[in-house]
Amino acid sequence: LVAGGGGVGKTTVSASLGVAAARRGITTLVLTVDPARRLADALGLDSLGSQPQPTDAVAGMWAAMLDAETSWTNIVGRHSPPDVAERLLEHEFFEAISTRFPSSQSYAAAEEMANFVDAKVWDLVIVDTPGTNAVLREHEALTREFVPRADLVLFVTSSDRPFAASERAFLEAIRAWGKKVIVVVNKADLLESPDDVSRVVTYVRDQAQRTLGFAPEVFALSARRALQARLDGDEVALDASGLESF
C-alpha cells in the first residue's frame, strides 16, 4: 500500500517499483484510485481502465485505474444473480447510496482492490492511494478495507516538505494495525548535497519514530529518475536514483 500526501510522487514511486519488480520476474499489478492520468502517463500508456491490462513497456506488469461506478457494478455482479443485479443497478435508491453516501466510492474501490489481491493472479499488488488529506476526510473506507490486507505500507513523503501534518495523522491512524511501515523520501534530486539528503532522512526518521513508536527504515530516492532509467535500461542513472539501494 503506497500512501502519502498529495503531490509527493506516490504514483511515480508505485510505477517505479512495479517496473523494477516485473523486470525481476515478479508478476506485478499496479492499481490506482486516482482519477487523474498520472499512472497511465508514468507508464507511457494512452489510457487505463478498471480492469487490469498488461503494459507494453514491461513484460509481467499489469495496471488498472479503478473508478467508483464500474467498481459498484462489479460488486453487484459478484454478489447478486443476473436478474437481481440488473434491477438493483437501475434502482434510484441504489444510485443514491453508491454515489452520494460518504465514503461509498472509496468502499467500492477498496472492495475491488481486495478482490484483485484475493484472486492471487499476481505475485505482487501495489496500490497507489489518494493523498493522505483525502484519505482522512473522504477515503476512510479505503484505509479500513485495504490496510488490514496489506503486507507492507510504503509511506512516501517529499524532500521539499517532509512529514506534513496530514501525513503524521495518517501514520497515527494506521499505527493500530501493527503493519510493517517503510518510509520513502522522494524527490531527493531536489536537494543540493548528500548532507542535505542525510539531514532530511534523519528528520523524517525521528518524526516517524515519535508517531509510530518505532524507527522505520527510511530511504531517499528520485522515483522520477528511477522510472525513466528503468524504462531506458540505463543502469548508471538507475543506481544514481537511489531505487536500487531501496
Side-chain angles (χ1 to χ4, degrees), residues 28-240:
T28 302
L29 170 62
V30 181
L31 293 173
T32 183
V33 297
D34 189 339
R37 285 182 40 86
R38 293 187 184 93
L39 182 58
D41 291 343
L43 295 174
L45 301 174
D46 292 332
S47 62
L48 272 179
S50 60
Q51 290 301 309
Q53 64 185 64
T55 61
D56 295 331
V58 185
M61 181 178 176
W62 299 62
M65 181 177 71
L66 302 180
D67 68 88
E69 182 178 356
T70 303
S71 296
W72 273 115
T73 299
N74 293 339
I75 291 169
V76 170
R78 283 198 299 272
H79 297 289
S80 307
D83 58 329
V84 175
E86 183 177 357
R87 294 198 306 273
L88 183 58
L89 291 172
E90 294 176 353
H91 199 285
E92 60 182 13
F93 184 62
F94 175 79
E95 189 273 337
I97 291 176
S98 61
T99 60
R100 301 175 192 170
F101 275 29
S103 298
S104 64
Q105 295 181 349
S106 299
Y107 170 80
E111 175 78 9
E112 282 290 88
M113 291 176 193
N115 184 60
F116 288 135
V117 171
D118 293 342
K120 301 188 183 303
V121 173
W122 299 273
D123 299 324
L124 173 65
V125 178
I126 299 171
V127 179
D128 171 37
T129 67
T132 50
N133 52 340
V135 170
L136 291 171
R137 288 200 306 266
E138 301 172 2
H139 295 273
E140 296 93 341
L142 178 63
T143 306
R144 281 199 310 270
E145 296 295 325
F146 198 80
V147 167
R149 299 173 183 264
D151 296 309
L152 170 70
V153 175
L154 183 63
F155 190 79
V156 184
T157 189
S158 179
S159 67
D160 56 345
R161 45 186 177 89
F163 222 79
S166 64
E167 296 173 337
R168 181 180 292 105
F170 179 82
L171 285 181
E172 290 173 348
I174 67 172
R175 177 178 178 176
W177 290 108
K179 294 294 181 178
K180 180 175 176 61
V181 177
I182 292 178
V183 179
V184 168
V185 179
N186 192 28
K187 304 183 183 180
D189 52 308
L190 298 180
L191 301 175
E192 294 185 356
S193 69
D195 286 342
D196 290 337
V197 174
S198 179
R199 280 192 289 271
V200 171
V201 167
T202 298
Y203 170 77
V204 170
R205 181 182 295 111
D206 290 345
Q207 294 299 313
Q209 181 173 9
R210 292 176 186 174
T211 304
L212 294 170
F214 64 89
E217 293 183 89
V218 181
F219 297 89
L221 57 82
S222 170
R224 178 180 59 85
R225 290 185 176 179
L227 178 60
Q228 192 59 54
R230 272 293 185 190
L231 295 175
D232 293 342
D234 187 338
E235 295 299 325
V236 175
L238 181 63
D239 184 63

